[in-house]
Amino acid sequence: MRQEYLHLQPRKKEQILSKKADFYTPYKGPAGGWGALKSTTKHWLKSKNAVRNIHSLLKTNQPHGFDCPGCAWGEKHDPAKIRFCENGAKAVNWEATSRKVDAAFMAKHSVSWLKTQSDYFLEYQGRLTEPMRYNRETDHYEAISWEQAYQYIGDTLKKQATPNNVAFYTSGRASNEAAFLYQLFARAYGTNNFPDCSNMCHEASGYALTSSIGSGKGTVKIDDFEHADAVFVFGQNPGTNHPRMLETLKEVVQRGAQLFNFNTLQERGLERFQNPQNPIEMLTNGSKPTNTGYFCPKIGGDMAVVRGIVKVLIDLEEAAQQNGEAIFDHDFIKEHTQGLDVYLEQVKQTPWQDIFDQSGLSKANITHAANVYAKANSVILTWAMGITQHHHSVATIHEMVNLMALRGNLGKPGAGVCPVRGHSNVQGDRTMGINECPPQEFLDSLETHFQFTPPQKHGFAVVDTIRAMRDGKVGVFIALGGNFAAATPDTKATEHAIQQCELTVQISTKLNRSHLVTGTEAIILPCLGRTDIDHQAKGQQKVTVEDSFSMIHASGGVLEPLSKEQKSEPAIIAGMAAATLGNFPIDWNETVSDYDIIREHIAAVVPGFKDFNQRILQDGGFYLGSSARERSWETPAGKAICHTHPLPDSILPKRAQDLLSDKTLIMQTLRSHDQYNTTIYGMNDRYRGIKGERKVVFINPADIQRLGFEEGQSVTLRSLWDDGVVRKVSGFKLVPYSIPAGNIAAYYPETNPLVPLDSYGEFSNTPTSKSIAIELETYEQESNGIGISAA
């Protein structure tokens, strides 16, 4: 590559050239360890609430404490242990800050100016402390009373031509109690429009598992990891996304079990881990491995990997039968499965070359994994969003379930399927009825208990909601938490759609991008967080959450709220509902005076919650149960259904395939280590070696050379889609990384503008944020008045 620098003195030219590497230094340490302690301390001090936050951290995930507002990984019941990880500490300190965003702050800063600031800047400003309404004439938010806010929302909802003009969005941090009231409010109002964050992450898991084993949840409890002979981890980076899982993975390896990681990028947390709570490891700077095998398939190649493993198992089974033995669990297959013969025939017909091309792995790699699986009596297969955000995600998870069925690894100790959820209660929200396609049994139960007929027509999920707002079919958007504008795909199209609304309402703890992308009218309602004490008319309250292992446990804040104007999510929902529906179908204000009343309603409607108020009193909560774990298959056939799909010709939707060239790369979006979903805690990504920068592209060094670029060079990313819309983001620096050739990775939400709204998963409608066709272009910029071009 040739670089031209106009009118530069030699010394200045050298300074600019040296800057390209300043942001990237490969990380050589383990996950966790001293780096985690240093980071935790830094964020603790940055909270400006350091003394109180020590108390908060020690109460995180503890009995009689609060549930971490971060990930949904479960807890082993050891009250002596500190139960927060580095990223959990970031979440707690980020929430329990002393900084305020109030009307005085908003008077200083226009919405137009705030829009120009980074997502990190916005959320770093502090907690929202009073209700506010956007004044379009002045371009500022201004304080209003709670009564005025409720009245305006209620009046707007009551004048809609149809309840389906309103969409009720939910973030996975909402408690069970808030989620249940929210769905009751919306259904009593008359709609099933429930876009929620699960539509963008694990919808494929829910759909695939429900259609295979009769339940959309995993079949594993956390104690099963202590008994598994092998654990297969697909498409997840626990070091950043759920760090408490690293201790579990390390223990699996330490006791001599096999642990195979399949992940496109080489991630430090999947390699080795130093436990900050282990004095010997910390003093000796030692660490323990978190795998016995690490494989890097191409983006979207996991289905091909699993198909290859099954293809090897078929050969092993045929060889074993010649000796009167068996690899497959024929008793389980006969009694508990349907459709496996058809699937196995499909596998036999799949050419090995197709498997190699799509997976990127060799036959030796796949055979090694298959042999380990065949020798293990009990296997856990776990995955996250590296699996669920592709066009063929449902087919991939069906393939995984089929693999597990072959040896009866469903419904026995130490074995099972385990989708690892992101948000701390995204699974609980779905259990509580946050579902645009609710089961009929749930609607019937609501009707019996509350004596009204809920709407039967299915509502809008996320992608359909964006389309409906764009087309004028949804005019009111209410968000229970989250950051919809930043989290969703096709950012410009989404922002345009939101701006078509008559009213947008955001129930939030902190300022974020979604407060600045408004409808004609916009209201912000400040809510309590997990760390805050929740005072209601009948005393201090607790809420409950459900983790990835279907454990239900209580959570109670430990800090006095920063403002008397902050209200709990249940109280805010009750206020809006009362203003809209009066006392139908319940006395809303009386119900939120004591959350035991809400839980009594839940116990009457939702299966598995009998004696809810009594069961949450026990330390660690209670297990909700899993029918599939008990080998009771709630499918039409009464058995586990083994679905058959051909290996896709391409992991991309058809609408991108015809635009590909030899310059095309496949991109996946991901988080940095200083990030939780759209919340940016800082500008570093320690484990990937990035410092002070977010606009980076992780790319194979061979691709940098092949495409004529240089390490550290700034580029423009352009996505390929057949609708004629130009989707570009610019100024991203190339970082050489251990990733398969032809694949790249970059952070969201910065790259969400590249994800076409119409690029979504088959059956799941989840945006395909892990497989986007991209081409890189030379980026031209102006730097300090000096024109810089690259060719």
Side-chain angles (χ1 to χ4, degrees):
M1 184 192 71
R2 184 183 80 252
Q3 285 192 321
E4 297 175 350
Y5 296 87
L6 305 179
H7 312 300
L8 284 179
Q9 298 297 322
R11 183 177 63 83
K12 277 199 170 185
K13 175 180 177 180
E14 291 171 0
Q15 288 173 344
I16 289 181
L17 283 171
S18 69
K19 286 181 180 179
K20 75 176 185 180
D22 288 349
F23 66 94
Y24 173 61
T25 304
Y27 182 72
K28 297 181 180 180
W34 292 107
L37 285 181
K38 181 180 178 181
S39 175
T40 298
T41 301
K42 181 185 74 173
H43 285 274
W44 169 58
L45 294 172
K46 282 174 64 177
S47 73
K48 305 297 183 182
N49 214 2
V51 176
R52 289 204 310 162
N53 281 4
I54 291 178
H55 177 60
S56 300
L57 289 172
L58 294 177
K59 285 291 187 179
T60 306
N61 295 321
Q62 295 284 357
H64 313 296
F66 62 90
D67 191 81
C68 179
C71 77
W73 189 252
E75 293 295 335
K76 294 173 66 175
H77 307 309
D78 182 359
K81 293 187 70 172
I82 293 174
R83 292 184 173 184
F84 63 86
C85 65
E86 173 191 353
N87 281 1
K90 292 174 187 175
V92 170
N93 286 309
W94 200 249
E95 180 175 285
T97 178
S98 62
R99 292 184 295 272
K100 297 181 179 181
V101 174
D102 52 16
F105 173 91
M106 290 297 193
K108 296 178 182 177
H109 305 296
S110 70
V111 167
S112 297
W113 182 84
L114 288 169
K115 281 182 180 178
T116 67
Q117 305 308 302
S118 69
D119 293 280
Y120 171 72
F121 172 88
L122 295 176
E123 296 211 32
Y124 188 71
Q125 300 314 302
R127 291 288 299 274
L128 294 160
T129 56
E130 57 186 316
M132 291 177 280
R133 181 177 173 182
Y134 180 52
N135 185 328
R136 188 166 292 276
E137 291 185 1
T138 65
D139 194 31
H140 288 264
Y141 274 98
E142 299 170 355
I144 58 172
S145 70
W146 280 102
E147 291 73 17
Q148 289 172 321
Y150 291 151
Q151 189 65 46
Y152 188 83
I153 294 167
D155 289 346
T156 302
L157 265 59
K158 285 187 284 189
K159 74 178 185 181
Q160 296 303 305
T162 169
N164 291 321
N165 285 357
V166 184
F168 293 81
Y169 177 72
T170 318
S171 160
R173 291 191 186 185
S175 66
N176 289 327
E177 290 75 10
F180 186 81
L181 281 189
Y182 198 51
Q183 66 82 29
L184 180 62
F185 168 33
R187 290 193 167 105
Y189 175 66
T191 186
N192 282 316
N193 287 345
F194 286 110
D196 79 302
C197 60
S198 66
N199 299 147
M200 294 183 283
C201 55
H202 270 285
E203 195 68 58
S205 298
Y207 184 96
L209 291 177
T210 299
S211 58
S212 293
I213 62 175
S215 170
K217 303 178 184 181
T219 64
V220 171
K221 298 173 70 173
I222 194 168
D223 292 342
D224 284 317
F225 284 88
E226 298 177 0
H227 306 288
D229 297 314
V231 177
F232 282 37
V233 180
F234 280 88
Q236 61 188 118
N237 176 26
T240 289
N241 300 332
H242 24 266
R244 285 179 290 147
M245 186 180 181
L246 295 181
E247 176 72 11
T248 302
L249 298 184
K250 183 194 74 170
E251 290 172 353
V252 169
V253 176
Q254 273 189 294
R255 63 178 176 78
Q258 295 292 312
L259 198 157
F260 280 9
N261 292 322
F262 299 84
N263 195 69
T264 300
L265 282 78
Q266 201 78 23
E267 300 284 19
R268 187 48 43 86
L270 292 171
E271 294 175 324
R272 60 187 189 274
F273 171 62
Q274 184 180 82
N275 187 354
Q277 297 187 50
N278 186 313
I280 295 177
E281 286 185 17
M282 294 296 286
L283 290 173
T284 62
N285 205 29
S287 61
K288 295 292 192 298
T290 51
N291 74 79
T292 59
Y294 201 128
F295 308 92
C296 292
K298 292 180 181 179
I299 287 174
D302 304 276
M303 181 179 177
V305 172
V306 177
R307 178 145 301 186
I309 291 173
V310 175
K311 201 169 177 70
V312 174
L313 290 174
I314 291 172
D315 292 340
L316 293 175
E317 170 68 12
E318 291 175 351
Q321 285 183 349
Q322 293 178 4
N323 298 320
E325 299 174 347
I327 298 296
F328 296 170
D329 186 338
H330 292 279
D331 290 340
F332 176 86
I333 292 170
K334 181 178 180 180
E335 182 180 356
H336 293 289
T337 71
Q338 182 182 87
L340 199 53
D341 289 343
V342 176
Y343 165 72
L344 292 175
E345 185 59 33
Q346 175 80 54
V347 174
K348 291 177 184 179
Q349 298 302 318
T350 305
W352 269 113
Q353 193 58 51
D354 291 355
I355 292 172
F356 300 149
D357 291 345
Q358 197 163 113
S359 71
L361 300 187
S362 68
K363 189 171 183 179
N365 291 150
I366 293 171
T367 299
H368 180 41
N371 283 325
V372 166
Y373 181 83
K375 293 174 182 177
N377 290 320
S378 55
V379 179
I380 291 173
L381 195 156
T382 174
W383 69 90
M385 285 160 60
I387 298 299
T388 64
Q389 291 185 324
H390 302 280
H391 184 66
H392 64 305
S393 290
V394 168
T396 300
I397 298 168
H398 280 158
E399 195 90 8
M400 292 174 168
V401 173
N402 294 350
L403 168 65
M404 298 297 278
L406 286 174
R407 285 183 51 77
N409 280 307
L410 297 168
K412 69 180 181 182
V417 289
C418 180
V420 179
R421 314 288 180 172
H423 271 310
S424 61
N425 197 43
V426 65
Q427 186 162 300
D429 287 353
R430 185 56 59 90
T431 302
M432 293 295 108
I434 301 296
N435 190 343
E436 77 283 359
C437 301
Q440 190 61 48
E441 295 84 353
F442 181 84
L443 296 180
D444 292 344
S445 186
L446 277 180
E447 181 169 6
T448 298
H449 182 66
F450 290 108
Q451 296 297 298
F452 77 95
T453 302
Q456 305 295 301
K457 181 182 177 182
H458 288 176
F460 295 138
V462 164
V463 170
D464 286 332
T465 294
I466 296 170
R467 291 195 188 108
M469 291 190 292
R470 176 197 65 192
D471 298 340
K473 296 177 181 178
V474 163
V476 179
F477 179 80
I478 301 175
L480 180 62
N483 186 358
F484 189 84
T488 43
D490 217 340
T491 306
K492 288 185 178 180
T494 296
E495 290 185 353
H496 172 75
I498 295 170
Q499 290 165 344
Q500 308 312 302
C501 288
E502 173 186 355
L503 171 66
T504 52
V505 179
Q506 303 288 336
I507 303 168
S508 310
T509 57
K510 306 192 84 174
L511 182 66
N512 65 46
R513 184 70 51 192
S514 294
H515 302 119
L516 312 177
V517 182
T518 72
T520 303
E521 299 287 345
I523 291 175
I524 297 174
L525 302 177
C527 67
L528 300 178
R530 291 275 176 83
T531 59
D532 299 316
I533 298 173
D534 184 353
H535 297 286
Q536 297 299 331
K538 295 183 180 178
Q540 188 171 319
Q541 304 296 317
K542 293 181 181 293
V543 294
T544 59
V545 298
E546 179 182 350
D547 64 27
S548 286
F549 304 106
S550 297
M551 292 295 298
I552 308 292
H553 40 91
S555 174
V558 296
L559 299 177
E560 285 295 333
L562 200 57
S563 165
K564 293 182 179 179
E565 290 291 298
Q566 293 169 319
K567 291 183 179 291
S568 74
E569 289 177 332
I572 294 171
I573 294 163
M576 293 190 300
T580 307
L581 304 173
N583 284 338
F584 174 79
I586 57 173
D587 184 331
W588 296 96
N589 292 325
E590 174 63 21
T591 300
V592 296
S593 68
D594 183 347
Y595 295 173
D596 281 357
I597 301 173
I598 305 175
R599 286 187 282 271
E600 288 170 359
H601 287 307
I602 293 172
V605 171
V606 185
F609 284 86
K610 183 180 179 181
D611 300 324
F612 191 2
N613 281 312
Q614 290 70 45
R615 294 163 75 191
I616 61 170
L617 299 177
Q618 60 195 49
D619 290 350
F622 64 93
Y623 178 53
L624 191 56
S626 165
S627 56
R629 182 181 176 85
E630 304 302 321
R631 294 187 170 176
S632 174
W633 317 103
E634 296 180 358
T635 64
K639 293 186 176 183
I641 307 299
C642 296
H643 296 270
T644 299
H645 302 274
L647 201 64
D649 295 331
S650 170
I651 68 163
L652 297 171
K654 175 65 176 173
R655 294 180 63 180
Q657 292 176 25
D658 295 339
L659 303 174
L660 308 185
S661 72
D662 58 358
K663 295 182 179 180
T664 302
L665 302 167
I666 307 302
M667 182 192 76
Q668 71 169 56
T669 67
L670 41 67
R671 300 175 185 169
S672 77
H673 194 60
D674 265 358
Q675 176 179 356
Y676 187 79
N677 290 340
T678 59
T679 301
I680 313 300
Y681 299 125
M683 302 300 287
N684 300 333
D685 190 355
R686 186 171 73 252
Y687 297 152
R688 298 189 185 108
I690 304 299
K691 184 176 182 180
E693 183 61 80
R694 286 189 55 81
K695 297 177 75 172
V696 297
V697 177
F698 299 101
I699 183 171
N700 188 294
D703 283 329
I704 298 178
Q705 183 176 13
R706 176 177 66 85
L707 296 171
F709 296 108
E710 290 187 358
E711 173 187 342
Q713 181 178 347
S714 292
V715 297
T716 291
L717 287 74
R718 176 174 58 86
S719 64
L720 307 179
W721 198 249
D722 71 353
D723 59 1
V725 176
V726 177
R727 297 176 177 87
K728 290 185 177 182
V729 294
S730 296
F732 284 68
K733 300 175 182 177
L734 297 178
V735 176
Y737 205 78
S738 180
I739 186 172
N743 293 170
I744 60 174
Y747 302 135
Y748 71 83
E750 288 85 352
T751 51
N752 283 355
L754 300 174
V755 184
L757 185 64
D758 292 332
S759 183
Y760 50 79
E762 189 176 21
F763 305 112
S764 70
N765 290 332
T766 296
T768 59
S769 300
K770 292 293 187 287
S771 48
I772 299 297
I774 296 291
E775 290 191 359
L776 302 181
E777 301 173 349
T778 300
Y779 172 63
E780 296 185 2
Q781 62 177 350
E782 294 292 322
S783 179
N784 297 322
I786 302 170
I788 300 176
S789 65

